[in-house]
């Protein structure tokens, strides 16, 4: 059976979530909007444009389209500066070992990330070569929880959705996987991630064998 693993990037393979938070928080401060870690959960897995809309609505702030473009650009410039020093040392525990083992077992591997910065980050982490297909924010028009990013990944790999397992740290991403008809492993906290097939604290807490079992419904 052809099987595939589809990986979210931020918060699953690399801990960039903290840099997104810092950059959004800085912008929120400038706009006089209160923005906590709890609010930040709403932005995880969500596109840059949609994240800005959520932030503005938290503070009941209205902006024109061109002002929004400027704010999103400023947030991204700050974020890109924060991730400038990323190296392979920033890969989260267990992630690259898991990817390499899956590759050695001929499981197809795709990236399914909302981030337009994904190509830059993968290059910095030096793990480009571990992916058979890479779908990111530059290739999709509909943000998670829409299943577009994962369905495009499955299509690029030539694997049916029901044989794909998604690894996600955001509830919007878990819902996108379910909407795609895929199984899903949540990476993070059980009290935050709902309706998954399994939640583990990190990629070092799940084996490739266990992941295959989830696809096969054992
Ligand atoms: C997701 C992050 O992976 O990418 C979100 O979880 C982020 O927090 C989104 O907003 C878009 O990222 P970028 O890099 O295109 O601004
Ligand atoms: Mg994520």
């Amino acid at each position: 059976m052809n099987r595939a693993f589809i990986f979210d990037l931020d918060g699953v393979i690399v801990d960039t979530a903290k840099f997104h938070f810092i950059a959004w928080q800085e912008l929120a401060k400038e706009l006089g909007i209160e923005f906590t870690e709890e609010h930040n959960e709403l932005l995880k897995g969500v596109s840059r444009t949609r994240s800005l809309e959520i932030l503005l609505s938290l503070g009941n702030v209205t902006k024109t389209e061109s002002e929004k473009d400027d704010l999103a650009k400023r947030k991204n410039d700050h974020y890109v500066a924060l991730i400038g020093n990323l190296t392979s040392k920033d890969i989260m525990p267990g992630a690259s070992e898991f990817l390499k083992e899956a590759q050695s077992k001929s499981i197809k591997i795709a990236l399914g990330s909302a981030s337009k910065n994904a190509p830059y980050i993968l290059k910095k982490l030096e793990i480009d070569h571990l992916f058979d297909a890479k779908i990111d924010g530059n290739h999709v028009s509909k943000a998670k929880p829409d299943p577009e990013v994962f369905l495009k990944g499955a299509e690029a790999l030539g694997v049916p959705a029901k044989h794909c397992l998604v690894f996600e740290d955001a509830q919007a991403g878990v819902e996108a996987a379910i909407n795609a008809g895929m199984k899903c492993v949540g990476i993070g906290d059980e009290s935050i991630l709902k309706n998954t097939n399994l939640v583990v604290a990190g990629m070092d807490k799940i084996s490739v064998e266990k992941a295959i079992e989830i696809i096969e419904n054992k």
Side-chain angles (χ1 to χ4, degrees):
M1 190 213 310
N2 234 356
R3 289 168 298 216
F5 293 160
I6 307 184
F7 293 87
D8 174 47
L9 178 64
D10 296 312
V12 171
I13 291 176
V14 60
D15 187 17
T16 38
K18 62 185 178 214
F19 299 125
H20 278 296
F21 178 54
I22 293 170
W24 284 125
Q25 203 174 35
E26 178 71 26
L27 195 71
K29 211 164 103 189
E30 279 177 37
L31 294 166
I33 300 171
E34 194 202 340
F35 185 68
T36 64
E37 289 211 35
E38 210 173 23
H39 293 139
N40 190 51
E41 283 302 318
L42 302 170
L43 272 50
K44 282 191 182 169
V46 175
S47 71
R48 196 181 309 162
T49 321
R50 182 76 197 113
S51 295
L52 177 64
E53 277 164 9
I54 295 172
L55 179 75
L56 293 175
S57 71
L58 284 171
N60 272 322
V61 173
T62 316
K63 294 283 175 191
T64 65
E65 285 309 308
S66 90
E67 285 168 337
K68 283 194 224 169
D69 288 349
D70 176 59
L71 291 170
K73 183 182 179 307
R74 274 174 38 217
K75 182 270 171 179
N76 191 55
D77 289 347
H78 186 188
Y79 174 69
V80 170
L82 290 169
I83 60 171
N85 293 327
L86 279 184
T87 70
S88 57
K89 292 200 182 78
D90 295 296
I91 297 174
M92 287 166 83
S96 81
E97 293 80 0
F98 190 98
L99 285 165
K100 283 178 196 150
E101 197 190 332
Q103 191 183 50
S104 78
K105 291 196 156 70
S106 302
I107 292 167
K108 297 263 200 293
I109 301 173
L111 181 80
S113 167
S115 174
K116 293 187 171 173
N117 293 299
Y120 173 69
I121 294 171
L122 287 186
K123 202 172 269 176
K124 291 220 144 235
L125 301 180
E126 298 175 62
I127 52 170
D128 283 68
H129 60 287
L130 295 173
F131 294 88
D132 301 300
K134 285 170 254 178
I135 312 294
D136 61 46
N138 301 292
H139 307 107
V140 294
S141 57
K142 290 171 242 150
K144 298 172 186 176
D146 189 280
E148 185 184 12
V149 68
F150 296 139
L151 290 173
K152 282 200 164 160
E155 194 188 345
L157 296 174
V159 176
K162 62 176 193 276
H163 294 165
C164 294
L165 177 63
V166 170
F167 295 83
E168 254 297 343
D169 72 313
Q171 189 58 34
V174 171
E175 280 157 27
I178 295 168
N179 291 337
M182 298 177 182
K183 304 264 172 56
C184 185
V185 171
I187 305 296
D189 191 332
E190 255 178 355
S191 65
I192 292 175
L193 300 171
K194 302 293 177 202
N195 305 322
T196 62
N197 295 91
L198 175 73
V199 177
V200 290
M203 290 305 304
D204 56 341
K205 301 285 187 289
I206 179 164
S207 64
V208 170
E209 287 71 26
K210 176 71 193 166
I212 293 172
E213 273 178 35
I214 293 174
I215 297 181
E216 291 174 354
N217 232 341
K218 279 184 194 157

